[in-house]
Amino acid sequence: MEIRIATACYLLISVFFCCFLPIVILVFIRYYKIMLTPLIKEILNLPAESQDLIVKGWVRTKRELKNLIFVEVNDGSSFNGIQCTFDRGSVDNLRFNPSIEANLSALSTGCSVAVKGRLVPSPASGQAVEIAASGLELIGEAPAETYPLQKKRHSLEFLREIAHLRARTNTFGAVARIRNRLAFGIHQFFQDRGFQYVHTPIITANDAEGAGAMFQVTTLDLEGLAKSGKAPDYHKDFFGKRSCLTVSGQLEAETYAAALSRVYTFGPTFRAENSNTTRHLAEFWMIEPEIAFAALEDNMGLAEEFLKFLFALVLKDCAEDIAFFDAHIEKGIISTLQSVLDACFTHISYTDAIKALEKNASAFEFKPFWGCDLQSEHERFLTEKIAGGPVIVTDYPKEIKAFYMKLNQDEKTVRAMDVLVPRLGEIIGGSQREENVGVLEKRLLELDMKLEDYAWYLDLRRYGTVPHSGFGMGFERLLQYVTGMTNIRDVIPYPRTVGQAEF
Ligand code: 4AD
Ligand code: MG
C-alpha cells in the first residue's frame, strides 16, 4: 500500500515537472511580455477614449496653473512625450489623494515616474491626446540642485561632458532614434538586394588601408619591457605576432564576395590618426558592401541608390525627429534631403575636378594641384559651389589611394571613387579592386609591403579571380549629413577621439 502511494506521488511529481512546469513557464513568459508598460509612442497612436493606462518615463517639465498641474513625461520612444494633467478640481479627483500631492510637490525635471490615468482628447494645441491622471508614483528622484539637465538649453560641448545623461535631451534622443532606424535600414537595404551580412574580424594582423594608423592590441607587459629596455618579442604576445584593431573589414569582405557574390559588413573600425576634426573619430562604425562581377560604374550606382534609400527612410520613418533638426540644428535639411532624392549625383574625374578647383585657386587656403589629396575645403567647393549636391569623384592618382585599387590603363590613376556631400565632404570611399595578381604584387612591392603578409589576399586573384568592387561608408558621417549635426562627436553615444575615452 505504502509503495503504491509512493509510486503515485512519484508519478504526480514527474507529471508536474515534465508537463505542467514548462506550461507554467511558457505562460509566465507570455504574461511577462504582456505586462511590459506600453511605450508613449504606442499610447500616442491609440484613439482618445477612456481607458486606464500606466505611463512610465522621465519628467521633462512640470507646470502649475491654479488647480491644474501639467507634467510632461518622456520615455525616449518618440520625440514627443505625453502630457499628464492632474486636476485637483475634477469630479473624478474629488478625493484628491494626499500621496499624489506629496509626490507632485517632490517632482522635478529628470525624476522617473509612473502615472496612472485615462487617455483623453487634449484641449491643448499640438497634441491630440493627454493623460487625465489619477495616480502618481515617484520612482526615482532627481534633485534639482544636483541634476545637471535643467529646462534651459545646454550647449553641445557641455552635454558631451555628461554623455551618460545626454540621451535624455531632445537632440540626443532624436540622434539615437535616427541612428537606430538607419542601422536597421542598412540591413534592410542589403538584405533586399541579395547581400549577405559577413562578420569580419575586429582584431587583425594586416593593415587593410596600408596607412599604418592602427591601434595595437597586446598582452605583453609594457611596463616591464620599458624597465628592462628590451625590444618586444611578438612571438611571446597573445597572437604570436604584432596585432591591431582593424581599420576596415574590406579585405576579409572581399574573400567572402569571392564566394557568396554580394556581401556587406557593418561593424566598428578604428583609426589611430591624430586628426582632431569635427569629421574624425578614432572608433567609428563602417558599412562596407563588396560585390563580385562588378565594375566601378556598378559601385557608383549602388552607392547612390544606397544613400537615397537611407535619406528617404529617415524622411518617412523619423519625421518628427528630422523636423526637430530642421527647426533647431540645420534649417532646410528636409528640403535638402528631398531635393537629393530627385536629382542624379554629379560624376567628375579627379583630373577634371582639379582643373575646376585650379580655376578658383584663390578660394582655398591649400592650393590644389594634380596629385594633391583633396582637402575638405576642396571637397566642399566641389559639392556646394560646382555641383550643388552630391558628387562622385573618380580615378584618383594611385599615390594618394590604397594599394588594392584597380590600376587604370594610364598606369597613373586608379579606379577609385569618393562620394562627397555638401557641408561634410567625403561620406563614402570605394573602388574597383585590382583583380590581376601580377599587377597587385607589383603595387605591393612598390609600396614596400611584404607579399607574404598578403598571401591569402593574393590567393583570391590566383584562384577564380573576378572583377569586383566595393565601398565603405562611415555611419557617423551619414548621421551628420542627415541630422545636420556639425560635430561627429555628437552622433555617436560615446565618442573616442585623441585624448578622449571617457565612459
Ligand atoms: O575612405 P576609407 O578610409 O575607405 C576604406 O576604409 C575602404 N576600405 C572602404 C571600402 O572600399 N570598403 O573610409 C571609408 C569611409 C569614409 O568615406 C568616411 O565616411 C569614413 O569611412 N571614415 C571615417 N569616419 C569617421 N572617422 C574617421 N576617422 C573616418 N575615416 C573614414
Ligand atoms: Mg577615403
Side-chain angles (χ1 to χ4, degrees):
M1 183 65 177
E2 272 172 16
I3 291 170
R4 269 198 217 146
I5 291 171
T7 313
C9 287
Y10 176 76
L11 272 174
L12 270 174
I13 291 167
S14 308
V15 166
F16 175 76
F17 276 102
C18 297
C19 303
F20 293 119
L21 197 58
I23 292 171
V24 169
I25 291 170
L26 283 175
V27 167
F28 175 77
I29 290 170
R30 171 127 184 86
Y31 185 65
Y32 176 74
K33 272 193 192 158
I34 293 166
M35 286 301 286
L36 284 181
T37 314
L39 293 169
I40 291 176
K41 176 182 163 185
E42 295 155 359
I43 293 175
L44 289 173
N45 283 324
L46 292 174
E49 56 193 40
S50 289
Q51 49 178 307
D52 270 323
L53 297 163
I54 292 188
V55 172
K56 290 184 184 172
W58 293 267
V59 172
R60 280 290 175 86
T61 56
K62 183 180 92 174
R63 285 184 300 123
E64 282 205 48
L65 194 73
K66 293 185 184 155
N67 265 344
L68 295 175
I69 301 126
F70 304 105
V71 179
E72 175 81 15
V73 178
N74 189 296
D75 67 357
S77 61
S78 70
F79 187 84
N80 292 319
I82 194 158
Q83 178 171 287
C84 303
T85 305
F86 294 83
D87 183 353
R88 288 193 185 103
S90 88
V91 183
D92 290 354
N93 284 336
L94 268 182
R95 284 171 287 124
F96 201 69
N97 191 328
S99 77
I100 295 183
E101 283 290 6
N103 283 341
L104 271 174
S105 59
L107 274 199
S108 56
T109 301
C111 290
S112 49
V113 290
V115 179
K116 193 171 151 231
R118 284 177 296 115
L119 190 69
V120 296
S122 176
S125 67
Q127 57 193 25
V129 287
E130 63 177 48
I131 300 284
S134 56
L136 170 67
E137 183 192 347
L138 174 54
I139 299 174
E141 292 178 1
E145 318 82 64
T146 50
Y147 185 56
L149 292 172
Q150 291 306 322
K151 257 195 229 171
K152 64 172 189 159
R153 217 171 226 220
H154 297 288
S155 74
L156 296 174
E157 290 75 20
F158 168 71
L159 292 173
R160 242 170 261 151
E161 286 168 21
I162 49 161
H164 58 300
L165 294 172
R166 67 179 179 169
R168 294 188 190 183
T169 64
N170 280 338
T171 311
F172 289 92
V175 167
R177 283 183 295 274
I178 292 183
R179 201 180 156 103
N180 165 68
R181 185 65 193 95
L182 282 173
F184 187 47
I186 284 162
H187 286 290
Q188 285 176 319
F189 177 85
F190 288 118
Q191 295 291 328
D192 287 349
R193 287 161 183 76
F195 284 72
Q196 314 217 33
Y197 180 30
V198 177
H199 299 99
T200 49
I202 304 279
I203 299 175
T204 175
N206 62 265
D207 180 355
E209 290 300 298
M214 299 181 84
F215 288 102
Q216 204 175 325
V217 176
T218 182
T219 50
L220 290 176
D221 172 12
L222 298 181
E223 283 174 22
L225 274 172
K227 276 186 207 145
S228 73
K230 285 189 203 149
D233 177 1
Y234 290 117
H235 292 106
K236 293 192 184 141
D237 203 351
F238 190 91
F239 298 106
K241 64 195 316 195
R242 195 174 177 279
S243 303
C244 293
L245 296 179
T246 188
V247 292
S248 157
Q250 178 197 319
L251 305 194
E252 292 87 353
E254 279 185 59
T255 66
Y256 269 67
L260 305 178
S261 294
R262 290 181 207 167
V263 300
Y264 69 103
T265 69
F266 186 177
T269 41
F270 308 86
R271 306 256 165 124
E273 300 155 347
N274 204 350
S275 333
N276 219 339
T277 78
T278 54
R279 306 182 315 139
H280 288 90
L281 289 167
E283 176 183 295
F284 64 98
W285 286 68
M286 183 151 57
I287 300 98
E288 296 183 276
E290 195 65 37
I291 339 154
F293 311 103
L296 190 69
E297 290 67 25
D298 306 305
N299 209 23
M300 290 195 280
L302 183 75
E304 181 167 341
E305 193 185 338
F306 180 49
L307 285 175
K308 286 181 172 172
F309 173 90
L310 297 173
F311 299 162
L313 185 76
V314 165
L315 289 172
K316 181 170 147 284
D317 285 6
C318 307
E320 283 164 0
D321 290 320
I322 212 78
F324 169 80
F325 290 108
D326 194 277
H328 300 286
I329 303 286
E330 175 71 29
K331 300 248 178 307
I333 185 86
I334 293 180
S335 61
T336 305
L337 292 175
Q338 262 155 355
S339 66
V340 170
L341 292 183
D342 303 328
C344 288
F345 289 12
T346 304
H347 292 191
I348 187 170
S349 72
Y350 169 89
T351 304
D352 287 344
I354 290 290
K355 281 184 197 152
L357 294 171
E358 277 174 336
K359 277 192 202 144
N360 296 281
S362 59
F364 308 114
E365 212 174 295
F366 184 97
K367 299 292 166 236
F369 60 90
W370 199 95
C372 78
D373 213 347
L374 292 186
Q375 306 297 307
S376 169
E377 56 175 340
H378 304 145
E379 294 178 340
R380 292 191 57 173
F381 192 88
L382 288 171
T383 56
E384 290 164 24
K385 301 276 186 277
I386 295 185
V391 176
I392 310 187
V393 181
T394 59
D395 304 292
Y396 284 71
K398 64 176 180 180
E399 285 76 18
I400 58 169
K401 287 292 177 190
F403 67 93
Y404 50 71
M405 298 192 182
K406 185 170 174 62
L407 194 62
N408 276 318
Q409 279 184 343
D410 62 12
E411 300 205 357
K412 287 191 195 126
T413 58
V414 283
R415 299 250 72 196
M417 63 169 219
D418 275 3
V419 182
L420 316 177
V421 290
R423 282 189 280 115
L424 202 66
E426 179 185 342
I427 192 167
I428 284 180
S431 68
Q432 183 167 341
R433 321 305 190 187
E434 183 55 72
E435 83 268 22
N436 180 306
V437 70
V439 178
L440 187 57
E441 279 178 342
K442 192 165 159 248
R443 187 73 190 127
L444 284 166
L445 293 172
E446 270 171 18
L447 292 166
D448 283 334
M449 295 165 81
K450 288 192 193 129
L451 293 188
E452 58 269 30
D453 287 349
Y454 293 88
W456 58 274
Y457 187 66
L458 289 162
D459 267 358
L460 289 181
R461 280 77 184 164
R462 288 199 185 94
Y463 310 121
T465 190
V466 289
H468 63 287
S469 301
F471 62 78
M473 178 177 73
F475 190 40
E476 288 74 22
R477 297 259 177 107
L478 168 76
L479 280 157
Q480 276 189 284
Y481 186 63
V482 299
T483 59
M485 296 293 281
T486 44
N487 197 321
I488 198 163
R489 292 167 178 81
D490 297 331
V491 292
I492 187 163
Y494 296 103
R496 270 77 182 94
T497 51
V498 185
Q500 166 66 47
E502 283 306 305
F503 305 104

